[in-house]
Amino acid sequence: MAKPSSEGDSSTASRTGSRSTMRESSLKGCGFSSFTGFRAEKEDVLRLAMPLYLRLAMLDCIKKKDVDAGDQHFQTSGSEDDPCCENPVVVFINPKSGSRNGSVLQDRLQHMISQEQVFDLHNVKPDEFVRYGLGCLEKWAEKDNCAKETRKNIRVVVAGGDGTVGWVLGCLGVLHEKDQFPVPPVAIIPLGTGNDLARSFGWGGSFPFARRSAIKRALQRATNGRICHLDSWHVVVQMPGGEVVDPPHSLKTTEVCDVDQNLKIEGRVPDKVNCYEGVFYNYFSIGMDAQVAYGFHHLRNEKPYLAQGPISNKIIYSGYSCSQGWFLTPCMSDPSLRGLNNILSIHIKRKNSSKWEPIEIPRSVRAIVALNLHSYGSGRNPWGNLKPDYLKKRGFVEAHVDDGILEIFGLKQGWHASFVMVELISAKHIAQASSIRLELSGGDWRDAFLQMDGEPWKQPMSKEYSTIVEIKKVPFPSVMVNGE
């Protein structure tokens, strides 16, 4: 890029002086005015805040949805006078997550970093940032060294629950598909109810958002933490007619149903089908646990004043578990409270095998979970820490987040699930698999309930035709920042 023309030393000095003044004023606005005697605090801010012209260029591109919209900031910036950011970060905040304190945290982060680097997910979607924000940096990377270094080193911090983190990871995954590297690694500020993804990567299960020191430490860990990998799992849902009610962010319509044609569908398939696809990172489940989650999410959206924090959320969640009849299933006649084996069949592929094999579903199981992490339901490990002899006996291997395998387990009635959640017993171990095919046939069931990473939905069921859910590993891993 050609440098802006110089009009003399005075102009240069004036421009440099104004930039110095701007940086000093930004330091005071970052909440460090009482620490102006400490150079370390100033350096911390300068390491996180991108040069102003880069921030404005990216923001214009995102707002106008055009990678060319920020060109004027490069052409007039005098960017050679701006120091490049050592550890650039952008933050996505979901103000509805957990205790709904995202807006408070957003204000504090904007003061500590910069207003243009902290996004409310209601206003800026992660796919817009990937397409237009990163696209702006990539366009100018060959001409502007700061743009090049920022694109190379940028990291993403997600302040939200598991669903929010998964949403951002899914949008960043597009970079893998388009060979646009490096893919920014993701750090987490846990604001959700369960925060299992955050727990699994050392970010904890909650966040003291009111403490400025905690925010500083989280940003430091986000910029300095080591990079690690996480398996991602692609889900395809093929259904006869109708549409999914309130599909989660992670589930999108698609014209092509990419299900394995080598495995014959047991039931009938209509001429016209609707297809959805998405990606999950922690778990996929079907049954009573998803039904309870569905009721909780709808209540939280309809009456947000009830969702004032993780503790109140868990109390409401427990109440839904009781009201839905999970604890009284042996005494209930409602078909939706019977075992999943009445409507569901499962086939799996084991690791390093191309052959599908059927898996028996225990009659007592009312919820089935395919788990990728060691953390489920607010930090519990329902798969358990299995002894080597048991692993060998069942043909299992030790579970890891990047081993290409899902752990499939079942939960019975609510009492069994409760004992599993307090880790007095393990869940009902069913299988380990590298691919899974679920086939649902309605019968007396009008709806089934499914969820991915804490985002539930109601799945319409047909008496005549089958609904297919197929899960297989995404060819590339998601990139995470370890917070430990």
Side-chain angles (χ1 to χ4, degrees), residues 32-91:
F32 295 108
S33 57
S34 61
F35 299 95
T36 53
F38 296 91
R39 184 177 297 275
E41 295 286 0
K42 295 182 178 182
E43 291 176 350
D44 283 344
V45 179
L46 292 174
R47 286 192 318 111
L48 299 177
M50 302 177 198
L52 180 61
Y53 76 95
L54 272 187
R55 305 197 309 256
L56 294 177
M58 292 176 66
L59 192 60
D60 280 354
C61 291
I62 293 170
K63 286 184 174 180
K64 298 178 182 178
K65 296 180 174 55
D66 182 0
V67 294
D68 299 325
D71 289 358
Q72 72 274 14
H73 298 289
F74 290 91
Q75 294 165 356
T76 62
S77 66
S79 59
E80 69 278 8
D81 295 328
D82 265 333
C84 289
C85 183
E86 294 179 22
N87 295 309
V89 297
V90 295
V91 183

Side-chain angles (χ1 to χ4, degrees), residues 176-214:
H176 278 286
E177 299 171 5
K178 296 182 178 180
D179 293 329
Q180 294 175 260
F181 298 107
V183 177
V186 172
I188 304 172
I189 294 177
L191 297 185
T193 302
N195 299 312
D196 291 301
L197 273 167
R199 295 173 194 270
S200 298
F201 288 93
W203 295 99
S206 61
F207 187 77
F209 69 95
R211 293 166 51 191
R212 187 180 297 275
S213 59

Side-chain angles (χ1 to χ4, degrees), residues 44 47-48 87 155 203 214-225 481:
D44 283 344
R47 286 192 318 111
L48 299 177
N87 295 309
R155 295 189 174 193
W203 295 99
I215 300 174
K216 289 181 186 177
R217 283 196 298 271
L219 292 174
Q220 184 180 31
R221 291 155 64 195
T223 55
N224 298 329
V481 179

Side-chain angles (χ1 to χ4, degrees), residues 8-28:
D9 294 340
S10 61
S11 174
T12 303
S14 174
R15 184 176 61 213
T16 305
S18 65
R19 291 179 182 279
S20 177
T21 302
M22 178 186 68
R23 288 196 292 271
E24 290 175 3
S25 63
S26 67
L27 288 170
K28 295 179 181 178

Side-chain angles (χ1 to χ4, degrees), residues 6 25-26 29 48 65 73 101 117 160 193 204 233 241 274 333 343 367 407 430 432 445:
S6 174
S25 63
S26 67
L48 299 177
K65 296 180 174 55
H73 298 289
N101 289 308
Q117 288 172 239
T193 302
W233 297 90
N274 291 336
S333 60
I343 64 159
E407 283 66 52
I430 296 177
Q432 287 181 316
W445 293 45

Side-chain angles (χ1 to χ4, degrees), residues 374 383 386 391 396-400 403 405 407 432:
H374 300 292
W383 185 255
L386 307 183
L391 292 172
F396 294 158
V397 297
E398 188 176 350
H400 298 283
D403 58 5
I405 293 176
E407 283 66 52
Q432 287 181 316

Side-chain angles (χ1 to χ4, degrees), residues 422-478:
V422 296
E423 299 184 352
L424 291 176
I425 59 175
S426 295
K428 184 73 173 178
H429 299 134
I430 296 177
Q432 287 181 316
S434 61
S435 297
I436 304 173
R437 161 78 69 84
L438 308 176
E439 181 172 346
L440 297 94
S441 302
D444 294 330
W445 293 45
R446 294 187 299 272
D447 302 292
F449 292 86
L450 298 85
Q451 65 172 332
M452 292 170 26
D453 287 351
E455 292 191 285
W457 75 93
K458 184 190 294 185
Q459 178 67 50
M461 299 286 287
S462 170
K463 289 187 177 182
E464 300 180 30
Y465 302 109
S466 292
T467 296
I468 305 298
V469 178
E470 195 163 291
I471 303 171
K472 60 183 178 181
K473 184 177 175 295
V474 175
F476 47 82
S478 295

